[in-house]
Amino acid sequence: MDGRRVLGRFWSGWRRGLGVRPVPEDAGFGTEARHQRQPRGSCQRSGPLGDQPFAGLLPKNLSREELVDALRAAVVDRKGPLVTLNKPQGLPVTGKPGELTLFSVLPELSQSLGLREQELQVVRASGKESSGLVLLSSCPQTASRLQKYFTHARRAQRPTATYCAVTDGIPAASEGKIQAALKLEHIDGVNLTVPVKAPSRKDILEGVKKTLSHFRVVATGSGCALVQLQPLTVFSSQLQVHMVLQLCPVLGDHMYSARVGTVLGQRFLLPAENNKPQRQVLDEALLRRLHLTPSQAAQLPLHLHLHRLLLPGTRARDTPVELLAPLPPYFSRTLQCLGLRLQ
């Protein structure tokens, strides 16, 4: 089958629904969603997955040309030098030389979008395993201005990014802060993010970082939760590890979910250093609700999506501008199955 036709089918649902609008400067966390009484979960309209892949994922083994076509189809907004993409889950932004990444095809993407000599650069992006907003700029001055804005916002603990996540488990509190010291550790050939209790000054000098995220539970159902997350620091896999520390791993987290153990229905944390990454195991009731077999659940993509991003106005006193990216089709299907809703 022609690669462009396949990509068109995968991406047709991603190009609709992104909103760009001004928001009040004092807009609080979760202004676009609220707690609500939820209907009982049903997947009748979606149907079982069968042998089909999860809708909305990038096809495997793409050529450079096909990836450029996919990214061009994923453009959801263009204003001046700024280009906004709705990145698929699993696409790395950067990588080793020779790897196919977003960064590696920026020259071709720039040409494809008619930018000629103005090559795009990454301003803000969701990580490899998450989906959602990627902000690019063809103007170095604009990119620098926006990066300074994001840096100043973090220092002031003013959130600019909001992620949506579906968690296996429901946080004990409906909203709050998650604070943890994290470090990267090479375990069995893999770089993993590990929490550090009571870090010393020496730990901080050796790369341990104190991290902070806000969270809010938007809706619950079937033992799962729709959670909004706002990172106030930047660290590899920060949001995934923060939700593990709440004993509620993100659905599709095949890297860190094994750190949560269960005995007689009670969850507890296992030592991070002794737990290798493994496929997430879901209980039978949840598998039935999601209409998944265990083998399908082993391929479940990470349900973590950069949904909302705040940008500064043209002038200092202007109202911030809000970008909203639609959820991937597989994410929306999961919400429908669990009876969860994001307004």
Side-chain angles (χ1 to χ4, degrees), residues 29-36 216 218 228 341-343:
F29 181 40
T31 54
E32 75 278 14
R34 57 182 174 82
H35 287 278
Q36 56 195 298
R216 175 171 175 168
V218 176
Q228 289 184 319
R341 188 177 177 187
L342 175 68
Q343 287 193 339

Side-chain angles (χ1 to χ4, degrees), residues 82 135 145-146 149-150 310-316 318-321:
L82 297 180
L135 186 63
R145 172 174 170 261
L146 287 172
Y149 165 77
F150 290 130
L310 290 181
L311 303 182
T314 305
R315 294 166 297 189
D318 286 353
T319 302
V321 175

Side-chain angles (χ1 to χ4, degrees), residues 6-81:
V6 173
L7 291 172
R9 183 180 66 192
F10 272 85
W11 288 100
S12 61
W14 282 67
R15 301 186 66 182
R16 300 185 298 272
L18 181 131
V20 182
R21 64 176 187 263
V23 294
E25 291 188 13
D26 60 348
F29 181 40
T31 54
E32 75 278 14
R34 57 182 174 82
H35 287 278
Q36 56 195 298
R37 189 172 297 174
Q38 298 298 328
R40 296 182 65 181
S42 172
C43 283
Q44 291 179 355
R45 283 181 290 173
S46 299
L49 288 176
D51 296 326
Q52 298 300 315
F54 294 97
L57 293 180
L58 199 64
K60 296 181 179 180
N61 302 317
L62 289 180
S63 66
R64 292 182 68 88
E65 181 182 5
E66 289 171 336
L67 179 56
V68 171
D69 287 343
L71 292 174
R72 182 174 180 177
V75 172
V76 286
D77 189 66
R78 289 185 68 175
K79 282 199 171 49

Side-chain angles (χ1 to χ4, degrees), residues 317-339:
R317 294 184 179 181
D318 286 353
T319 302
V321 175
E322 180 183 67
L323 298 176
L324 293 175
L327 300 172
Y330 64 82
F331 199 121
S332 297
R333 178 189 182 278
T334 295
L335 295 185
Q336 183 184 4
C337 290
L338 298 175

Side-chain angles (χ1 to χ4, degrees), residues 31-301:
T31 54
E32 75 278 14
R34 57 182 174 82
H35 287 278
Q36 56 195 298
R37 189 172 297 174
Q38 298 298 328
R40 296 182 65 181
S42 172
C43 283
Q44 291 179 355
R45 283 181 290 173
S46 299
L49 288 176
D51 296 326
Q52 298 300 315
F54 294 97
L57 293 180
L58 199 64
K60 296 181 179 180
N61 302 317
L62 289 180
S63 66
R64 292 182 68 88
E65 181 182 5
E66 289 171 336
L67 179 56
V68 171
D69 287 343
L71 292 174
R72 182 174 180 177
V75 172
V76 286
D77 189 66
R78 289 185 68 175
K79 282 199 171 49
L82 297 180
V83 176
T84 306
L85 305 178
N86 198 359
K87 187 187 80 68
Q89 187 269 345
L91 175 65
V93 177
T94 60
K96 298 178 182 177
E99 289 184 349
L100 199 57
T101 65
L102 170 65
F103 186 80
S104 72
V105 297
L106 282 181
E108 293 99 316
L109 180 61
S110 302
Q111 291 292 321
S112 178
L113 294 174
L115 296 175
R116 299 181 182 179
E117 302 300 323
Q118 300 172 306
E119 187 172 314
L120 290 166
Q121 56 183 296
V122 177
V123 179
R124 186 72 180 262
S126 51
K128 174 185 176 181
E129 297 305 324
S130 55
S131 58
L133 291 166
V134 171
L135 186 63
L136 308 172
S137 175
S138 61
C139 173
Q141 290 78 17
T142 299
S144 177
R145 172 174 170 261
L146 287 172
Q147 287 164 348
K148 288 179 181 178
Y149 165 77
F150 290 130
T151 299
H152 292 159
R154 280 196 300 271
R155 290 174 179 170
Q157 295 196 354
R158 190 172 63 247
T160 56
T162 301
Y163 287 75
C164 289
V166 178
T167 61
D168 176 21
I170 301 172
S174 61
E175 61 182 295
K177 295 182 180 180
I178 306 170
Q179 301 182 70
L182 302 176
K183 68 175 180 178
L184 279 176
E185 192 163 305
H186 199 67
I187 302 175
D188 293 330
V190 181
N191 286 324
L192 297 174
T193 298
V194 175
V196 178
K197 293 183 178 179
S200 64
R201 181 176 298 180
K202 180 182 178 181
D203 290 331
I204 300 298
L205 293 175
E206 292 178 350
V208 175
K209 183 174 181 178
K210 295 180 179 179
T211 61
L212 172 65
S213 300
H214 289 168
F215 76 94
R216 175 171 175 168
V217 178
V218 176
T220 62
S222 304
C224 296
L226 174 60
V227 181
Q228 289 184 319
L229 295 163
Q230 291 183 324
L232 291 171
T233 50
V234 178
F235 200 87
S236 177
S237 303
Q238 174 178 317
L239 296 179
Q240 290 168 253
V241 174
H242 278 187
M243 292 317 297
V244 164
L245 294 175
Q246 298 296 300
L247 304 178
C248 299
V250 176
L251 202 62
D253 183 355
H254 306 296
M255 186 67 70
Y256 299 103
S257 61
R259 296 179 183 177
V260 179
T262 305
V263 174
L264 299 176
Q266 297 297 313
R267 296 189 175 196
F268 60 94
L269 280 177
L270 294 166
E273 295 81 357
N274 300 333
N275 279 274
K276 300 178 182 179
Q278 57 183 283
R279 294 295 180 183
Q280 188 176 36
V281 178
L282 305 178
D283 64 43
E284 292 184 5
L286 183 53
L287 289 175
R288 286 195 299 270
R289 185 57 64 92
L290 294 174
H291 291 272
L292 297 177
T293 65
S295 61
Q296 289 170 334
Q299 304 301 319
L300 194 67

